[in-house]
Amino acid sequence: MSHPQSYEILLIPEFADSRNGDPEPGTAIRSAVVAATGDTGASGYPRYAGDGMEADIDPATHTVEALLVDGAEVDYGLTVRIAERTDD
């Protein structure tokens, strides 16, 4: 099975109060293009890295199984979305 070579990862707040200047729900507060490293992560899925993010992504379901942002786990209240890149 061939795995996608890159994805775009979007970090999106689940809940945001736009009256305080926070982003509207559904607006990405950070994004990164990650590329396949050729390694397998601790989750058993292919590892992708780039722009300060490292992710283990299940290529069959496009589910992010593990994610580090600048070396730290993602805070509660953030949702991770991905999009397969087609311009490899």
Side-chain angles (χ1 to χ4, degrees):
M1 172 186 209
S2 175
H3 301 300
Q5 292 302 299
S6 66
Y7 288 98
E8 181 175 15
I9 296 178
L10 304 170
L11 288 179
I12 300 170
E14 287 185 41
F15 303 102
D17 183 356
S18 60
R19 293 174 294 175
N20 295 332
D22 293 333
E24 292 288 333
T27 302
I29 59 172
R30 183 159 174 186
S31 66
V33 174
V34 294
T37 65
D39 295 329
T40 300
S43 67
Y45 292 101
R47 172 66 51 101
Y48 293 79
D51 296 331
M53 293 191 194
E54 291 183 46
D56 297 356
I57 300 174
D58 179 348
T61 64
H62 300 276
T63 301
V64 177
E65 298 292 339
L67 178 67
L68 295 176
V69 178
D70 297 330
E73 293 181 3
V74 177
D75 290 334
Y76 288 108
L78 294 176
T79 300
V80 179
R81 302 258 167 83
I82 63 168
E84 188 173 332
R85 306 262 306 165
T86 57
D87 58 351
D88 291 326

